[in-house]
Amino acid sequence: MNTTHTILTGDRPTGQLHLGHFVGSLRQRVQLQQEHQQFILIADLQGLTDNGSNPQKISHNILEVMADYLAVGIDPSRTTICLQSALPALAELTALYMNIVTVARVERNPTVKNEIAQKGFSRALPVGFMAYPISQAADITAFNADLVPVGDDQLPMIEQTNEIVHKMNSLTSTPVLRHCKAQLSDVSRLPGIDGGAKMSKSLGNTLTLSASEADIHQAVSAMYTDPNHLRVTDPGQIEGNIVFTYLDAFHPDKTLVAEMKAHYQRGGLGDRQCKNVLEACLQELLAPIRERRATFIQDKGQLMAMLREGSERAHTLTQQTLHTVKRGLGLPVLF
Ligand code: ATP
Ligand code: MG
């Protein structure tokens, strides 16, 4: 028997969504909305934690991300799409949770550690950035989510969320928060087009969902393959060969990809041929998404109206959770 889950996922509006989001999360969300109650949060407050001096970047990208969602097939009549900054309960829950998480615990979070190093904050590390895993716990629990589809960089956040749930429930006479589980996709960390660790808006190694035909062609042409595969007849290496990583992630015909791999390994299959197959499959995937996106982004009024409607629904629900938590802690709920 199928269980219905309550799902929360989200994205920081730090730029347009890219192929990493598509395979890491968006593709799943389109499926999950058929069977489950799904909420998607445009996490503008979290986006500001490392863009505090550039708020326009975040505000500009809110509707860009909204257009991306609609273009890939997220349906606002099945999925509630909402805006983090419009939901004060999330900030209030964050403030409450901050008191039960130690600084040492936040510092231990491997994703945060890695991002701090990558972003080169050094002594200019914003307090808000350090605390973003706590705010993410507030987001997940406010929606009563029990399932969180994410990329693997988010696993430490889910672990930390469950610790907060456990701690909070131990402070109240009856449990007030729900535990959650991460759901990883088949491709939980797509490398950047430069072969780097993770495709990420902040690293500038992305192919966005609105990438033009020429962008796609250029990105695939520039991809590194096996540097020792000098002649077509030479045996080639699959491991670390980004063209095959992408073929695995995107090509619908797994048998064909398996055959190509075997052929490449024994020699006789050229890099250009492999790239042609990859490029054709990415062009086919992105063409209809790009077209739909171009239509949606033209009507920003309609996008904003959809976001408002979803946020209203989310507001009611998240306020309820906040009130439950406050009552649990013995704080008066005055209004
Ligand atoms: P930023 O660089 O601003 O952090 P991002 O590209 O990492 O942006 P997020 O908005 O932080 O994107 O991530 C949203 C969701 O997409 C998360 O669940 C994350 O795990 C997933 N995701 C992001 N990049 C990838 C990727 N390259 N592969 C798989 N999943 C990804
Ligand atoms: Mg990120």
Side-chain angles (χ1 to χ4, degrees), residues 72-89:
V72 296
I74 289 169
D75 172 359
S77 71
R78 290 185 176 274
T79 294
T80 301
I81 307 175
C82 52
L83 183 65
Q84 194 179 26
S85 64
L87 306 172

Side-chain angles (χ1 to χ4, degrees), residues 12 115 153-154 198 200:
R12 296 150 37 94
E115 288 175 340
D153 59 320
Q154 296 300 308
K198 172 181 173 266
S200 163

Side-chain angles (χ1 to χ4, degrees), residues 7 16 30 74 124 133-134 142 150 189 203-204 207 241 274 313 335:
I7 294 171
Q16 293 185 24
V30 173
I74 289 169
I134 305 176
V150 284
R189 181 179 297 236
L203 299 177
L207 257 185
N241 188 326
C274 300
R313 239 177 297 154
F335 40 79

Side-chain angles (χ1 to χ4, degrees), residues 323-334:
H323 291 172
T324 307
V325 171
K326 279 184 163 180
R327 286 197 191 92
L329 295 174
L331 297 170
V333 176
L334 298 182

